[in-house]
Amino acid sequence: MTADFEAQLRAVSLRVTRPRLAVLAALRDHPHVDTDTVIALVRMDQPTVSHQAVYDVLRALTDAGLVRRIQPAGANARYESRVGDNHHHVVCRSCGAIADVDCAVGHAPCLTASDDHGFEVDEAEVVYWGTCPGCATERTSQ
């Protein structure tokens, strides 16, 4: 898998570095995590990496389109490596768990605006809110 990450970095003209590889691996294995979690995951492999290095890597990967930054209302920014397909998310109001939801209808941008006001729409962001199965079960057992 490291070879895939190296190819992805080179394809967007980014140098291959250990912190970049570690961040990509962390996001592959743990989608929708916040920055502090990314730092903790990266430090499991590279204990001396700084907070700033991880912040810089996340910014570079996001700017290059290898990582997607999402920020549901009232939550910290989260990161994921699933990019390029304009998928959406479902968020638990209770615990904050996030899961991917494939495109609502058809191809990107997935939804047609009732009035695009002359904009060339190329992406739609939809966040579904509700209660995850774990929180729903906990609620009904109380």
Side-chain angles (χ1 to χ4, degrees):
M1 198 51 108
T2 300
D4 290 341
F5 293 150
E6 290 175 5
Q8 289 175 358
L9 290 166
R10 288 187 178 108
V12 294
S13 302
L14 289 177
R15 286 185 313 114
V16 175
T17 64
R18 289 182 55 199
R20 287 177 178 162
L21 294 172
V23 167
L24 286 170
L27 294 177
R28 176 201 58 213
D29 296 339
H30 305 277
H32 311 124
V33 291
D34 63 12
T35 307
D36 288 339
T37 304
V38 174
I39 292 168
L41 291 166
V42 168
R43 282 187 171 167
M44 291 173 69
D45 180 51
Q46 298 179 38
T48 60
V49 73
S50 69
H51 280 71
Q52 190 60 51
V54 173
Y55 279 104
D56 292 345
V57 167
L58 286 169
R59 185 178 318 108
L61 296 176
T62 301
D63 290 347
L66 295 178
V67 166
R68 182 177 177 190
R69 181 184 186 273
I70 61 170
Q71 189 164 10
N76 291 332
R78 307 287 184 102
Y79 295 89
E80 64 181 344
S81 58
R82 183 178 171 185
V83 296
D85 65 352
N86 194 218
H87 67 278
H88 309 298
H89 297 95
V90 59
V91 180
C92 179
R93 290 183 189 279
S94 183
C95 70
I98 300 174
D100 291 334
V101 177
D102 286 332
C103 223
V105 177
H107 57 82
C110 304
L111 302 172
T112 304
S114 60
D115 183 353
D116 63 19
H117 298 278
F119 284 66
E120 289 185 27
V121 177
D122 61 10
E123 182 177 349
E125 184 174 318
V126 175
V127 177
Y128 300 95
W129 292 89
T131 306
C132 72
C135 291
T137 301
E138 186 176 305
R139 222 190 267 169
T140 58
S141 66
Q142 292 178 355

